[in-house]
Amino acid sequence: MDAQGRGRAENIDPADQWVLNPDTGEYELRLGPSAPQSAVPGPRGPRPPGAGAARGRSAAPGRTPEREREAPGREVPPQRRRRGVPQEPPPGQRGRRPAKKKSKAKKVLLWTGGTMAFVVLVAGTAGYLYLEHLNDNIQSVSDDGASTGGFSKDKAINILLIGTDKRTGSGNESYGDKGSEGHADTTLLLHVSKDRSNATALSIPRDLIVDVPDCPTQQEDGSEKIIPGSAGVRFNTSLGQGGRTPSCTMRTVTELTGITPDNFMVADFNAVKTLTSAVGGVEVCLAKDIDDPDSHLKLSKGTHTIEGEDALAFVRTRHSVGFGGDLSRIELQQQFLSSLMRKLKSNDTLTSPTKMIKLAEAGTKALTVDSQLDSINKLKDLGLELGKLNVKNLTFATVPVKDNPAEKTPVTVVLKESAQQVFDMVKNDVSFTEVKQQKKKEKAAVAARLKGEKAPASEVRVRILNGGAVDGSAQETLSWLQVNQGVTKSENAGNAPEELSRTTLEYAPDQADQARRLADIMGLSGSAMKPGESVTNSQGVPAMTLTLGKDFKGAGVKIDAAAADVPDDARKSTADKVECAK
């Protein structure tokens, strides 16, 4: 009898027969102690011909069915055994203390790894998974060179999360626009700080007017085709329209925000239904009765636990909440995602292998990733990075927009001026929420940078770059420093490689006294001082680097480089707060 048949025959949930081996970090099948059983790796679905080769997997050398191991004093039938699988101890050795297992805390960390990635998109990601068979579920498409090449463990992370309106899957044909090519219906740019203390999920309205650039796109036959760009169109047309793939949405986001995503993840309607069912439903709150014929949501005022079709109807609702538009729906979706996160963090899902397997299956079947993430190991590494975050420091924000003034009856939106401030905060890794412990340490470190001896102005060596200030600012500052401040060992180094919202001064440890003098002259706060490395100036001598950002007000004007507050119109909320849809 096979494993599944055995489980059904004994009224055992087959998922409960898969046990985590602490030595290998993988799930193995245990069919009971009644007879010697071989250790079998996690369940694998049928794999297309050549799939293993495509992913670079091959059989381990020397692993053949004929190989066997023998415990001293005991014959073992010829069968494969996995290293680390507990075996019946030989006679005379029973009663010994078993090998030390991983602590419960480490097991929990193992499972919590990828929760954040799939929660933010609703569709989910498989970052927490170690089961190789899930590779067969994951679909991938090329990033077409639009990404950074993939996230890095030692840098801030930017993941583009896209929910499409493609009506694939059972029961989804009944929704409106059943012939949709799959546009970027719900898009979030998830930014996780370099120190992993905070994150921002920035929603980009689908009706925002943007310029979609030309998009080099890999075709099914391996050739490349450039999909022509479009000026002044809805953001959601950056996907699906004219053969555009997620890499084109990625290029559009870079064009819009100045931020190049590391990776993208895409999910469809089924993701919402399957994942909410896998966790046993998500609790939502309504401030009023809702009966929306378009989304098919009908719920009374109060708190409800929803899953499946009801969950999909909830995140699609817009006409019955707020002002009845897409911006109101974004708020509803953010409330839903926050609730889903709290559900996963507050119950026993993360420590239940059975529930995690169900989530894994649901997430990977509904997920499409870029070619840089088409690996369980990469997804696991990403998940472990995202899992370090506390939900109270995950901020949901929306790009500040206003009605399109070019339309008599506005149906689209355009950026507000404050949108640039939001983009700069994300780009410069500025937290949208107060991280108390971090702030306390940061303030102490910032204060320390300004304390100590200050070198004479004549000893300050600095190269000046223009990183976002008005044209000519570097030369203007150079002249002012040399003529008015006696900083004669300074030079204009041209434009910085990228624009910054805040002016910064980078210096080596042995240049701290010079940095304090220049900060005093320029009116820089301690937060603008960046301990790092020196550079070599045109005379071949080590020098500091002063980069003038968009906050530069002119030579001789003091700069306050403290972190800016989040604009009020960014509509921010944090994942730990319970909010009711209005």
Side-chain angles (χ1 to χ4, degrees):
M1 182 180 296
D2 64 13
Q4 299 299 319
R6 181 185 179 96
R8 286 189 293 269
E10 299 180 6
N11 293 321
I12 299 173
D13 184 345
D16 290 333
Q17 296 176 295
W18 294 94
V19 181
L20 179 68
N21 185 333
D23 295 319
T24 64
E26 297 181 356
Y27 273 87
E28 297 168 351
L29 183 63
R30 307 291 174 81
L31 298 182
S34 58
Q37 301 290 345
S38 61
V40 185
R44 300 176 64 95
R47 180 181 296 176
R55 297 184 184 276
R57 297 193 295 270
S58 60
R63 296 289 298 270
T64 65
E66 292 74 26
R67 291 190 63 182
E68 61 183 60
R69 298 178 184 173
E70 296 185 2
R74 180 182 179 185
E75 290 188 4
V76 180
Q79 58 184 351
R80 292 200 305 181
R81 298 190 181 214
R82 293 175 67 91
R83 182 175 61 187
V85 177
Q87 303 289 342
E88 181 74 18
Q93 295 187 20
R94 292 183 175 87
R96 290 186 179 182
R97 179 178 296 178
K100 186 177 181 180
K101 297 182 178 180
K102 289 185 179 180
S103 68
K104 183 176 180 180
K106 289 184 178 179
K107 290 182 181 179
V108 172
L109 176 61
L110 185 73
W111 284 111
T112 57
T115 301
M116 182 67 64
F118 77 76
V119 167
V120 174
L121 185 57
V122 184
T125 181
Y128 54 87
L129 305 175
Y130 292 87
L131 304 180
E132 188 178 347
H133 84 282
L134 291 175
N135 271 320
D136 299 327
N137 288 345
I138 300 173
Q139 301 295 318
S140 70
V141 294
S142 176
D143 70 343
D144 297 313
S147 74
T148 63
F151 76 94
S152 176
K153 293 181 181 180
D154 58 355
K155 296 181 180 179
I157 298 175
N158 293 295
I159 306 294
L160 188 62
L161 308 170
I162 307 170
T164 75
D165 59 357
K166 197 168 185 177
R167 269 66 172 169
T168 55
S170 176
N172 295 331
E173 301 85 357
S174 60
Y175 297 120
D177 194 16
K178 65 179 180 180
S180 173
E181 300 168 328
H183 297 113
D185 196 51
T186 299
T187 305
L188 299 96
L189 179 62
L190 174 63
H191 172 84
V192 183
S193 67
K194 181 178 180 180
D195 64 6
R196 309 298 185 251
S197 68
N198 64 91
T200 302
L202 184 63
S203 293
I204 302 175
R206 68 173 192 178
D207 295 327
L208 174 63
I209 295 298
V210 298
D211 293 336
V212 177
D214 291 345
C215 298
T217 306
Q218 181 176 307
Q219 305 299 296
E220 290 185 3
D221 61 2
S223 63
E224 182 181 280
K225 176 182 178 181
I226 297 180
I227 309 298
S230 304
V233 295
R234 280 183 169 91
F235 175 84
N236 68 339
T237 61
S238 64
L239 177 63
Q241 200 84 1
R244 290 171 180 153
T245 65
S247 68
C248 194
T249 303
M250 185 177 273
R251 293 184 192 278
T252 304
V253 168
T254 301
E255 183 95 356
L256 175 69
T257 66
I259 301 164
T260 302
D262 300 308
N263 300 98
F264 64 71
M265 299 179 182
V266 185
D268 58 19
F269 281 179
N270 282 332
V272 182
K273 297 193 289 187
T274 57
L275 279 170
T276 52
S277 294
V279 298
V282 174
E283 187 176 275
V284 296
C285 178
L286 300 178
K288 63 180 181 180
D289 295 343
I290 291 182
D291 186 358
D292 191 331
D294 294 310
S295 69
H296 311 301
L297 179 68
K298 185 174 183 179
L299 291 174
S300 60
K301 176 182 177 180
T303 302
H304 301 268
T305 298
I306 58 175
E307 62 178 278
E309 292 289 347
D310 287 338
L312 178 59
F314 186 87
V315 298
R316 291 184 63 246
T317 294
R318 56 176 173 151
H319 297 302
S320 300
V321 293
F323 296 104
D326 187 51
L327 295 179
S328 297
R329 186 181 65 159
I330 286 176
E331 287 189 18
L332 195 71
Q333 291 172 344
Q334 291 175 349
Q335 292 163 11
F336 178 86
L337 292 169
S338 296
S339 181
L340 180 55
M341 172 60 76
R342 292 193 299 272
K343 174 68 178 288
L344 287 167
K345 288 286 187 178
S346 64
N347 64 15
D348 62 350
T349 301
L350 297 176
T351 57
S352 169
T354 302
K355 291 182 180 179
M356 292 303 289
I357 288 174
K358 291 178 180 178
L359 281 169
E361 293 292 344
T364 53
K365 287 179 181 177
L367 181 70
T368 299
V369 298
D370 69 83
S371 49
Q372 305 293 338
L373 271 182
D374 189 15
S375 155
I376 288 297
N377 283 334
K378 290 181 181 179
L379 287 166
K380 177 261 296 181
D381 289 341
L382 173 60
L384 290 175
E385 293 302 308
L386 301 178
K388 297 174 183 178
L389 182 68
N390 189 316
V391 293
K392 69 179 182 180
N393 296 325
L394 166 61
T395 303
F396 287 97
T398 306
V399 174
V401 294
K402 60 184 179 182
D403 288 340
N404 188 349
E407 297 173 341
K408 186 175 181 180
T409 303
V411 293
T412 62
V413 293
V414 296
L415 293 178
K416 284 186 176 181
E417 291 183 2
S418 56
Q420 188 59 54
Q421 182 180 345
V422 172
F423 298 151
D424 288 342
M425 290 181 70
V426 174
K427 186 176 182 180
N428 295 316
D429 202 20
V430 178
S431 175
F432 277 52
T433 186
E434 181 77 12
V435 183
K436 294 182 179 179
Q437 185 177 8
Q438 177 202 26
K439 291 295 182 181
K440 185 176 181 180
K441 293 180 178 179
E442 181 181 318
K443 288 177 181 178
V446 166
R449 294 172 195 165
L450 295 171
K451 294 180 180 179
E453 295 293 328
K454 298 175 183 175
S458 59
E459 294 182 6
V460 174
R461 291 184 173 87
V462 62
R463 298 174 74 244
I464 306 168
L465 297 173
N466 190 331
V470 297
D471 291 344
S473 293
Q475 185 60 42
E476 179 189 2
T477 302
L478 174 66
S479 300
W480 178 76
L481 287 175
Q482 291 181 340
V483 175
N484 299 90
Q485 302 298 322
V487 184
T488 56
K489 298 176 182 178
S490 52
E491 64 183 34
N492 181 354
N495 291 326
E498 61 181 2
E499 293 187 350
L500 302 177
S501 62
R502 298 183 293 159
T503 297
T504 62
L505 174 62
E506 184 174 359
Y507 59 96
D510 60 353
Q511 297 170 323
D513 57 344
Q514 295 183 45
R516 284 190 283 268
R517 174 58 66 190
L518 188 59
D520 184 58
I521 293 172
M522 297 290 296
L524 296 173
S525 71
S527 62
M529 300 170 66
K530 305 296 182 185
E533 299 178 354
S534 63
V535 294
T536 302
N537 65 14
S538 58
Q539 285 76 43
V541 179
M544 302 182 295
T545 300
L546 174 67
T547 304
L548 305 177
K550 295 179 180 179
D551 61 345
F552 180 73
K553 304 176 180 68
V557 180
K558 297 290 184 180
I559 301 173
D560 179 7
D565 293 331
V566 183
D568 292 335
D569 47 11
R571 300 170 173 270
K572 73 166 189 171
S573 63
T574 52
D576 62 321
K577 299 293 191 300
V578 178
E579 297 187 31
C580 297
K582 301 178 180 178

